[in-house]
Amino acid sequence: MTETRTGRRAVVTGGARGLGASVAARLTQAGWSVALLDQDIAAGQAQAERLSQSGPAWFVPFDAAGDAQGPIEAAAERLGGVDLLVCAAHQGLERPVERISQADWDRVIGVDLNGAFFPVQAAVAHLAAGVDPCVIHLSAVQARVASGLHAVYSAAMAAVAAVSRSLAAELAPLGIRCCCVSPYTVLTESNRDRLEEPGWRQLQESTVLNGGIMTGPELADLVYQIVTGPGLFNACDIVLDGGMNIFRERPTASPYQSSASGEVSRR
Amino acid sequence: MTTDKVAVITGGGAPLGLACAQELSRRGLRLLLIDQDLGQPAQALADQVAAGRVVLGQSDLEDVPALRRAIDGAADRFGRIDVLANCVLEPGPDGCWEVDEAAWQRCLRVNMKLPFFALQACVPHMRQVGGGRVVNLSSSLSAYTDGRHGLVFGLAKAGLNSMTRQWAVDLCLDNIQANSLWIGPGRPEDLPRPQAVARFVAWLALDATPYLNGAQIPVDGGAALFRQGRLLEAPKSVLPPLRSGPVLFGGPETHPQKCPPSAALRSGTFRGPREPKLGSFVEVSNT
């Protein structure tokens, strides 16, 4: 199904799989042209091919911890400009502090933090000439809440949100909006095998208010609202966490189920 | 688009609430609007009112028993209630120390007490249809302040934000989600159009993932960037040089949507940074 082409152009880092792929799919469905930047060449090409059934989609090899300018330039030339940059390249790490090596540290900071900054730097000139230009960063709720085994990851995610805020102020004079979304666990190809780990699914489901585990398209739809809400959203960090950061004990029973009549008590 | 859903909109007579009413009506919902003065929606939604799809509930916004009667009456008439949009924005008294008690009371009753009792009346009906959505229109003034203006409004909306969290947690097993939208302070010409806010309210009420819950969502166009209503002295961004390469389409005279930015930049017609409009600081929001 192809809707009207919008003529708008997006670069999505980490677009081969996971959240990046979901965001890219949401954009192509809405008529955007997209360039997927990813280190996974086979997955990236396959995803671009899938998306090109809905609209123009290209793949550009990219390592978020490495050079950004070459891939961003290549993407901008393919697209004929850039209106939107989504920094979705992502490296998680769940590991006890004493087992985190310097290489682990460098990889997480490299992909998550370098990958939140250098692509924007490379894209600023293109964005400044784009149509309602916007940068979306994906952080994580772990930037705000204490959660074991995430010492490096939560630091990287907090830094991503800080980069987004700072760039929002710096790039506002250029008309470029910068917004951040901070999700809790999203079920993707990258973590689907963890469903087999004892207790993993139960932990995820018990730490959100409505149970279950969020999926990529649900996050992508929020990103799309932000991207297409120019008057509304700028310099914001929207937490999409099933309420994870606002409660410590989830209710075990509805406050209304105890009343005999099933009616809400009003006195 | 057809739906049998029903929404209650408090503050439905003022511009934001009216825009929400129009958008939700456009999306096919039947509505109960509650406000002091419903002259605008009576005109703007006259067809829907005549068709019995929009009910106008005149209220002074402080009469809780009347509020309950209106909500229960709408549930009887429409057969269900799915959405509560609390759009009341009672600005309250200006100033800080010179605030008088009656104005303080009015501001808290309308901005805090009314949304609470509106939801209390809606919950049994929402439970009957297996869940519901609450959208609370709050304000960025619940988090930022200049210390001189809007003391009571800010604390009332901070209280509403707290209730958003409480409701999201307390009603989670009833499949009711609640979120706060922070409308920005400032001159109307700086703020998002009510229609844009209304489209997002409708998305939250009808389309959004239930994992967006208990959240504080600024829809203020970046009010966090404002200081004294303007940009503090910030160094202008300097655009990095672009690598040379082929220009793919168009020329600098074409419409910007069709003109690749590289063409404008490389041909030297790009005018550079626009005049700064926003401030240079952004705080960590205290959500």
Side-chain angles (χ1 to χ4, degrees):
Chain A
M1 182 190 67
T2 304
E3 293 180 21
T4 316
R5 311 307 311 164
T6 63
R8 303 198 67 196
R9 306 147 301 188
V11 176
V12 182
T13 74
R17 298 189 299 144
L19 302 185
S22 293
V23 172
R26 182 71 182 82
L27 291 166
T28 50
Q29 281 159 21
W32 290 57
S33 306
V34 296
L36 311 177
L37 273 56
D38 206 292
Q39 62 166 347
D40 188 335
I41 293 170
Q45 284 174 335
Q47 178 67 6
E49 204 159 310
R50 269 193 297 278
L51 293 184
S52 57
Q53 290 163 10
S54 309
W58 289 280
F59 170 72
V60 180
F62 164 73
D63 178 357
D67 172 54
Q69 191 167 10
I72 292 285
E73 287 300 325
E77 289 201 351
R78 275 290 184 198
L79 296 166
V82 182
D83 305 309
L84 169 66
L85 170 63
V86 181
C87 295
H90 180 261
Q91 176 69 58
L93 186 70
E94 192 169 292
R95 191 164 292 177
V97 62
E98 66 275 18
R99 284 179 39 213
I100 293 175
S101 68
Q102 291 224 13
D104 292 334
W105 174 279
D106 290 342
R107 184 66 191 159
V108 173
I109 297 295
V111 172
D112 292 342
L113 185 50
N114 294 23
F117 177 76
F118 290 104
V120 187
Q121 186 185 61
V124 161
H126 295 292
L127 288 163
V131 178
D132 180 29
C134 182
V135 177
I136 299 283
H137 282 100
L138 298 186
S139 174
V141 76
Q142 283 85 356
R144 308 172 170 231
V145 298
S147 63
L149 310 182
H150 288 140
V152 181
Y153 178 66
S154 60
M157 290 298 110
V160 169
V163 164
S164 174
R165 272 194 299 277
S166 187
L167 289 175
E170 184 173 342
L171 301 181
L174 293 170
I176 302 170
R177 299 185 291 131
C178 298
C179 300
C180 186
V181 176
S182 294
Y184 185 48
T185 305
V186 183
L187 195 61
T188 68
E189 305 93 305
S190 315
N191 57 18
R192 195 173 298 278
D193 54 350
R194 299 199 67 183
L195 290 171
E196 309 302 321
E197 273 178 38
W200 189 79
R201 177 197 283 267
Q202 288 74 14
L203 176 69
Q204 308 309 317
E205 294 187 344
S206 67
T207 39
V208 294
L209 290 170
N210 51 320
I213 305 179
M214 188 171 17
T215 62
E218 295 179 274
L219 175 131
D221 198 28
L222 173 62
V223 169
Y224 185 71
Q225 299 305 314
I226 297 169
V227 167
T228 54
L232 303 180
F233 302 104
N234 193 12
C236 58
D237 179 2
I238 299 179
V239 180
L240 177 60
D241 67 345
M244 190 264 195
N245 83 100
I246 60 168
F247 72 96
R248 297 296 175 266
E249 297 286 334
R250 190 170 64 171
T252 52
S254 163
Y256 300 98
Q257 270 150 14
S258 53
S259 68
S261 66
E263 286 293 303
V264 60
S265 167
R266 289 172 170 171
R267 281 166 204 91
Chain B
M1 191 174 306
T2 58
T3 173
D4 58 352
K5 288 191 174 178
V6 174
V8 175
I9 304 179
T10 64
L16 273 167
L18 173 59
C20 292
Q22 288 175 303
E23 179 66 15
L24 288 171
S25 176
R26 193 185 67 77
R27 302 243 354 221
L29 278 78
R30 292 164 294 165
L31 307 174
L32 165 65
L33 309 185
I34 291 168
D35 213 332
Q36 302 177 89
D37 178 356
L38 291 160
Q40 292 282 342
Q43 264 192 336
L45 292 164
D47 293 354
Q48 297 287 309
V49 174
R53 295 181 57 83
V54 172
V55 172
L56 305 176
Q58 193 89 18
S59 160
D60 70 356
L61 303 179
E62 299 190 42
D63 183 345
V64 170
L67 177 72
R68 285 177 184 148
R69 284 194 300 275
I71 289 172
D72 288 341
D76 283 346
R77 176 184 183 132
F78 294 136
R80 58 190 295 152
I81 289 175
D82 306 87
V83 172
L84 171 63
N86 279 313
C87 300
V88 281
L89 292 164
E90 166 65 53
D94 195 15
C96 186
W97 303 111
E98 62 274 31
V99 166
D100 74 72
E101 189 184 350
W104 169 293
Q105 293 281 21
R106 166 79 185 167
C107 188
L108 262 61
R109 284 194 195 113
V110 174
N111 287 312
M112 283 174 57
K113 188 174 172 184
L114 175 89
F116 175 83
F117 285 100
L119 181 62
Q120 191 194 56
C122 285
V123 163
H125 306 297
M126 290 176 168
R127 293 187 70 227
Q128 280 185 353
V129 292
R133 294 278 171 100
V134 184
V135 182
N136 287 327
L137 286 197
S138 180
S139 168
S140 298
L141 290 174
S142 63
Y144 312 113
T145 178
D146 63 3
R148 290 188 183 172
H149 299 289
L151 169 91
V152 191
F153 181 73
L155 75 90
K157 289 302 184 188
L160 182 65
N161 297 344
S162 176
M163 286 197 287
T164 294
R165 289 187 284 268
Q166 298 274 354
W167 298 349
V169 175
D170 203 42
L171 298 170
C172 70
L173 295 174
D174 296 298
N175 189 28
I176 293 170
Q177 288 91 43
N179 292 288
S180 275
L181 296 193
W182 292 9
I183 308 298
R187 299 171 303 170
E189 60 268 31
D190 294 329
L191 296 177
R193 290 181 309 115
Q195 290 77 10
V197 176
R199 273 197 299 277
F200 188 66
V201 168
W203 179 81
L204 267 181
L206 301 173
D207 310 322
T209 166
Y211 291 96
L212 188 53
N213 195 5
Q216 311 291 331
I217 306 172
V219 287
D220 56 13
L225 295 168
F226 280 87
R227 287 298 180 280
Q228 311 296 337
R230 64 180 177 84
L231 181 77
L232 295 183
E233 295 308 315
K236 283 204 172 177
S237 287
V238 179
L239 291 173
L242 285 181
R243 288 184 180 178
S244 61
V247 174
L248 293 183
F249 322 92
E253 72 286 356
T254 52
H255 187 272
Q257 202 150 356
K258 291 181 183 151
C259 168
S262 48
L265 287 162
R266 287 169 190 147
S267 66
T269 56
F270 179 63
R271 292 195 198 86
R274 301 172 201 179
E275 276 305 298
K277 284 183 191 152
L278 301 172
S280 62
F281 291 110
V282 188
E283 287 172 1
V284 179
S285 76
N286 64 347
T287 53

